[in-house]
């Protein structure tokens, strides 16, 4: 869905929820500037769909938003258990926000496991909506409750709303020819209808979505719509919900344009399609399904009309092998994976370095090592991206900072790969991939020109006057070698992993030639044109916080909190991690203290300390979840005061 907004304004991403109260009819309406809602239940309860639909309607309404889907690591964990809890958190506001929020104002808990898994994140006074039908003695014992929390006083500090969601849903669907089990599946739509009433969300889009999703099963579509409407009506009529809430559109938060809600993986897929069009090249994806990268394969497979070809390979090695072959054949080639897949692809990435062909290697990072935490986020593949190949095999590294920024990062990675004839690593992560935010759809004239010239004929003259094609005759500016499409008459040349002779591309074991080629490939990467890093320092701070990738949102929110409290702190964020921006060294040396928050054990800090001899301080987290703004603000305040 898209919405129109106008004129930018900067807001503070603080912690206080502003409130105004109005009365209209029988129930009060309170106006808030932001709300954080978390839907939680079993992995089969449809919490991701519920959150996604609430998000889509919120986007169409014009709020700024940020989401955090949180999936169980198991495909289908035992029902009613803590490992099986799936949640979806949405932060929406009438101004510019940066994170999914630290602590939910509202928790919708579909069973005791969902309540127990999430209650620790709720501040006192938060609203809790629970499905009382699931609070049976057996379900309570399964998650370790000695007594029923709905009646033992342990939730007295919260605003508790006990709602028999299952019973009410089944009752609302009596007229449909459904079994009780089938009817119960619609309880998430009842909950969605109730929350849509509470926060004055549009409903038409959800009803259209349900009719489209279940177009081949119209009875199921109408049953879900009936449950959705019943939830809305329940909120309107029950005495337990005496207040509803309004969060106005973020009309002043963004530049003028047409916006849509977008996830990181979807933005990345659109960026790849756009890069193919801007380069006027066919786009080829060679991929093996892996969480959390598979959505890119799914999305790109829908776009054959844009000259996109997708190949689901039998394994990771075959996926990148096919992609590299497509690059040799003149396509914009991509392979998508996560950390374990990068390890398997490393030999072929090294081959791409040797062949000097454009190839995008997209790594949607997740918790490791090995299989690790497939559905949780981490930033721990940076050193693998930098050094995870045999020999001297330098590769440029680009990292997006927000879900919407994945679009621009894909274009930037394609620019570098095509211009410099090199594989490029694009490091996203699970937090960006599955999270979403508003994205301004760019105008065509804002997109970069990525067109390339293929080699068309001889480019070197021998001493006897013969004109020949040298596959490693380099561009003096970029050091890129010519890109010769197979089958072009006169451009026949060897490829392979054995070292090439400079210029001719013939196999060479000469030590001096190998030294020259290694240094030339490194010089090509070092010479890539990347923008200078920009520093946000309005008050002449002594402490700089440096981030990369998905830490941008939490870091920026934390910096805003500190500045609102009167503290002076500077912020800079890296998109290009190899090569680093040329002004990074002088920037780092201009501050007394540099703090680097990372979702790893200090990988960027290690690189910064080694290259610039700066005593960078790490602040690290590897629990599979993104930083919280409050947590970072406290750590940065301590660094300032130290």
């Amino acid at each position: 869905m898209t919405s129109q907004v106008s004129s930018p304004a900067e807001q503070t991403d603080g912690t206080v929820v502003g409130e105004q109260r109005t009365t209209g009819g029988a129930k009060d309406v309170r106006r808030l500037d932001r709300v954080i809602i978390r839907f939680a239940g079993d992995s089969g309860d449809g919490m991701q769909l519920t959150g996604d639909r609430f998000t889509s309607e919120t986007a169409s309404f014009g709020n700024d938003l940020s989401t955090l889907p949180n999936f169980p690591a198991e495909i289908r964990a035992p029902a009613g258990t803590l490992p099986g809890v799936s949640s979806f958190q949405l932060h929406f506001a009438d101004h510019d926000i940066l994170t999914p929020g630290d602590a939910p104002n509202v928790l919708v808990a579909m069973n005791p496991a969902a309540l127990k898994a999430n209650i620790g994140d709720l501040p006192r006074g938060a609203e809790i909506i629970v499905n009382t039908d699931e609070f049976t003695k057996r379900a309570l014992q399964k998650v370790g409750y000695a007594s029923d929390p709905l009646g033992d006083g342990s939730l007295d500090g919260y605003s508790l709303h006990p709602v028999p969601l299952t019973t009410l849903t089944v009752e609302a669907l009596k007229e449909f020819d459904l079994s009780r089990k089938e009817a119960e599946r619609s309880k998430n739509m009842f909950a969605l209808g109730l929350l849509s009433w509470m926060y004055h969300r549009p409903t038409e889009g959800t009803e259209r979505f349900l009719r489209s999703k279940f177009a081949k099963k119209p009875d199921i579509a109408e049953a879900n719509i009936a449950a959705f409407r019943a939830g809305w009506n329940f909120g309107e009529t029950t005495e337990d919900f005496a207040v509803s809430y309004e969060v106005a559109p973020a009309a002043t938060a963004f530049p003028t344009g047409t916006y849509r809600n977008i996830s990181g993986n979807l933005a990345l897929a659109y960026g790849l399609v756009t890069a193919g069009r801007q380069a006027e090249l066919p786009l080829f994806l060679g991929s093996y399904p892996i969480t959390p990268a598979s959505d890119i394969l799914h999305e790109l497979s829908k776009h054959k009309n844009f000259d996109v070809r997708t190949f689901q390979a039998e394994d990771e090695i075959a996926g990148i092998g096919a992609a590299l072959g497509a690059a040799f054949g003149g396509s914009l080639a991509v392979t998508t994976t996560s950390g374990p897949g990068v390890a398997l692809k490393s030999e072929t990435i090294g081959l791409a370095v040797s062949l000097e062909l454009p190839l995008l290697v997209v790594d949607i990072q997740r918790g490791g090592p090995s299989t690790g935490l497939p559905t949780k986020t981490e930033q721990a593949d940076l050193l693998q991206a930098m050094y995870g190949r045999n020999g001297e095999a330098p590769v440029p590294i680009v990292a997006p900072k927000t879900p919407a920024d994945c679009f621009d990062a894909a274009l930037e990675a394609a620019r570098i790969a095509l211009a410099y004839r090199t594989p490029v690593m694009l490091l996203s992560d699970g937090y960006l991939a599955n999270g979403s935010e508003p994205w301004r759809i760019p105008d065509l004239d804002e997109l970069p020109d990525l067109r390339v010239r293929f080699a068309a004929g001889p480019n070197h003259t021998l001493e006897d006057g013969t004109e020949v094609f040298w596959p490693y005759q380099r561009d003096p500016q970029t050091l890129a070698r010519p890109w010769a499409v197979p089958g072009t008459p006169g451009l026949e040349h060897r490829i392979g992993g054995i070292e090439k002779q400079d210029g001719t591309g013939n196999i060479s074991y000469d030590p001096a030639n190998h030294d020259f080629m290694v240094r030339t490939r490194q010089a090509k990467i070092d010479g890539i044109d990347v923008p200078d890093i920009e520093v946000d320092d309005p008050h002449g701070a002594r402490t700089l916080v440096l981030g990369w990738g998905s830490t941008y949102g939490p870091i920026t929110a934390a910096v805003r909190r500190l500045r609102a409290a009167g503290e002076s702190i500077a912020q800079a964020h890296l998109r290009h991690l190899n090569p680093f921006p040329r002004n990074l060294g002088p920037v780092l040396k201009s501050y007394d203290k540099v703090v680097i928050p990372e979702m790893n054990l200090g990988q960027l800090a290690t690189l910064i300390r080694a290259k610039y001899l700066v005593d960078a301080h790490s602040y690290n987290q590897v629990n599979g979840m993104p930083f919280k703004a409050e947590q970072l603000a406290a750590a940065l305040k301590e660094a300032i005061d130290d």
Side-chain angles (χ1 to χ4, degrees):
M1 296 184 176
T2 61
S3 58
Q4 294 280 346
V5 298
S6 59
S7 69
E10 183 158 341
Q11 302 280 345
T12 298
D13 191 11
T15 57
V16 179
V17 176
E19 180 177 304
Q20 291 182 326
R21 177 179 296 187
T22 62
T23 57
K27 297 192 175 186
D28 284 351
V29 177
R30 295 180 186 171
R31 294 179 181 172
L32 307 176
D33 67 354
R34 73 182 71 223
V35 174
I36 304 169
I37 299 174
R38 184 181 296 175
F39 299 93
D42 269 334
S43 58
D45 283 339
M47 295 297 93
Q48 303 304 321
L49 175 63
T50 304
D52 182 68
R53 288 316 312 160
F54 196 94
T55 299
S56 293
E57 298 297 357
T58 297
S60 69
F61 187 71
N63 295 119
D64 192 15
L65 60 89
S66 180
T67 68
L68 177 62
N70 190 7
F71 307 94
E74 299 178 50
I75 293 175
R76 181 57 67 89
T81 64
L82 294 175
V85 173
S86 174
S87 67
F88 188 104
Q89 183 163 306
L90 166 67
H91 183 190
F92 62 102
D94 65 1
H95 58 271
D96 175 26
I97 58 174
L98 298 155
T99 74
D102 289 356
N105 309 115
V106 182
L107 171 66
V108 179
M110 303 299 280
N111 58 23
L115 178 64
K116 188 165 189 177
N118 293 283
I119 190 66
D121 292 336
L122 267 65
R124 289 291 173 173
E127 294 195 76
I128 304 175
I129 301 171
V130 295
N131 180 14
T132 56
D133 289 325
E134 295 296 323
F135 279 70
T136 63
K137 184 177 180 180
R138 184 170 179 271
L140 292 167
Q141 291 175 342
K142 188 180 290 189
V143 294
Y145 275 122
S147 60
D148 187 349
L150 305 186
D152 64 6
S154 61
L155 300 178
D156 286 351
Y158 305 95
S159 178
L160 181 64
H161 301 281
V163 181
L165 288 172
T166 305
T167 299
L168 291 171
T169 302
V170 171
E171 183 68 24
L173 302 185
K174 270 187 174 181
E175 64 182 89
F176 295 89
D177 186 21
L178 300 174
S179 67
R180 179 178 177 85
K181 187 175 182 179
E182 289 173 327
E184 287 179 0
R185 289 176 182 160
S186 297
K187 62 181 180 290
N188 64 324
M189 288 297 105
F190 188 100
L192 178 60
L194 173 57
L195 269 293
S196 297
W197 171 82
M198 284 182 66
Y199 292 97
H200 296 250
R201 299 296 92 185
T203 60
E204 296 81 3
T206 294
E207 294 191 10
R208 286 195 304 270
F209 168 81
L210 291 170
R211 289 194 172 97
S212 173
K213 180 178 178 63
F214 298 105
K216 296 181 179 180
K217 298 179 180 179
D219 290 346
I220 299 296
E222 293 306 317
N224 276 284
I225 291 170
F228 176 67
R229 291 174 176 174
W232 177 281
N233 293 333
F234 178 78
E236 181 71 27
T237 58
T238 184
E239 295 181 2
D240 192 36
F241 293 91
V243 178
S244 64
Y245 305 91
E246 286 185 349
V247 180
T252 60
F254 309 109
T256 302
T258 300
Y259 286 77
R260 60 156 293 165
N261 180 49
I262 201 165
S263 69
N265 272 351
L266 183 58
L268 207 157
Y270 285 176
L272 293 173
V273 174
T274 304
R277 294 297 81 215
Q278 293 302 106
E280 297 182 354
L281 296 175
L283 179 70
F284 180 90
L285 173 68
S287 181
Y288 180 74
I290 183 171
T291 301
S294 300
D295 287 343
I296 302 171
L297 169 62
H298 300 159
E299 182 61 34
L300 289 180
S301 67
K302 303 174 184 177
H303 298 293
K304 293 180 182 179
N305 56 315
F306 289 114
D307 207 8
V308 176
R309 297 295 178 266
T310 54
F311 170 56
Q312 181 173 321
E314 65 268 29
D315 56 40
E316 295 281 5
I317 299 171
I320 189 172
L324 186 55
F328 179 58
S331 293
L332 175 57
V334 186
T335 188
T336 52
T337 189
S338 191
V342 175
L344 291 166
K345 295 177 188 291
S346 62
E347 182 180 5
T348 309
I349 298 173
L351 176 58
V353 171
S354 176
L355 299 182
E356 300 190 45
L357 287 171
L359 174 68
L360 303 186
V361 182
V362 177
D363 177 7
I364 312 297
Q365 300 166 96
R366 70 188 205 187
S370 187
T371 308
L373 302 175
T375 61
K376 308 303 179 183
T377 195
E378 208 165 87
Q379 286 184 298
D381 293 349
L382 175 56
L383 293 183
Q384 178 177 228
M386 184 75 77
Y387 300 121
R389 293 162 296 282
N390 65 296
E392 296 288 346
V395 169
I397 303 171
V398 175
K401 62 184 181 180
T402 69
D405 188 50
C406 289
F407 177 87
D408 294 316
L411 288 170
E412 175 65 358
R415 177 191 73 85
I416 293 172
L418 293 170
Y420 294 88
R421 309 287 196 270
T422 177
V424 176
M425 295 285 294
L426 196 161
L427 293 183
S428 180
D429 61 42
Y431 172 38
L432 296 183
N434 297 315
S436 60
E437 66 176 351
W439 170 57
R440 188 180 69 85
I441 301 171
D443 294 329
L444 288 177
D445 58 8
E446 298 176 86
L447 300 174
D449 183 353
L450 301 179
R451 288 174 294 181
V452 297
R453 289 185 177 181
F454 291 113
N459 61 0
H460 181 76
T461 303
L462 300 177
E463 291 182 0
D464 63 3
T466 304
E467 292 188 338
V468 296
F469 174 67
W470 274 15
Y472 283 84
Q473 182 86 291
R474 299 181 182 278
D475 181 292
Q477 298 298 320
T478 64
L479 298 183
R481 78 174 187 90
W483 193 1
V485 176
T488 306
L491 303 190
E492 297 83 358
H493 61 283
R494 284 191 175 91
I495 62 168
I498 297 177
E499 185 62 277
K500 312 296 185 298
Q501 184 181 51
D502 178 44
T504 69
N506 295 330
I507 291 174
S508 173
Y509 295 101
D510 177 61
N513 176 78
H514 177 61
D515 182 273
F516 177 81
M517 293 295 279
V518 167
R519 294 179 186 277
T520 300
R521 288 189 289 261
Q522 183 65 59
K524 180 173 70 169
I525 303 307
D526 292 342
I528 292 173
D529 182 24
V530 302
D532 283 349
I533 192 168
E534 296 181 0
V535 182
D536 175 21
D537 185 6
H539 305 116
R542 297 173 57 195
T543 299
L544 171 72
V545 55
L546 178 69
W548 71 278
S550 66
T551 57
Y552 173 78
I555 288 174
T556 307
V559 166
R560 287 182 180 182
R561 293 185 185 206
L562 290 171
R563 289 177 180 170
E567 301 290 344
S568 179
I569 187 168
Q571 178 188 359
H573 205 79
L574 286 167
R575 162 172 281 180
H576 296 90
L577 297 153
N578 192 32
F580 286 128
R582 286 170 175 75
N583 70 328
L584 180 57
V587 165
L588 295 173
K589 286 180 169 57
S590 66
Y591 289 90
D592 295 342
K593 187 176 295 183
V594 177
V595 182
I596 304 179
E598 298 181 78
M599 293 188 294
N600 56 47
L601 295 182
Q603 297 189 16
L604 175 62
T606 297
L607 296 174
I608 293 294
R609 292 169 69 95
K611 184 173 180 63
Y612 299 106
L613 303 180
V614 170
D615 187 20
H617 299 264
S618 285
Y619 183 73
N620 309 115
Q621 172 178 295
V622 281
N623 62 4
M625 297 294 288
F627 284 112
K628 293 183 177 180
E630 182 179 5
Q631 162 197 4
L632 269 183
L636 295 176
K637 176 67 164 65
E638 185 177 336
I640 293 171
D641 295 341
D642 186 8

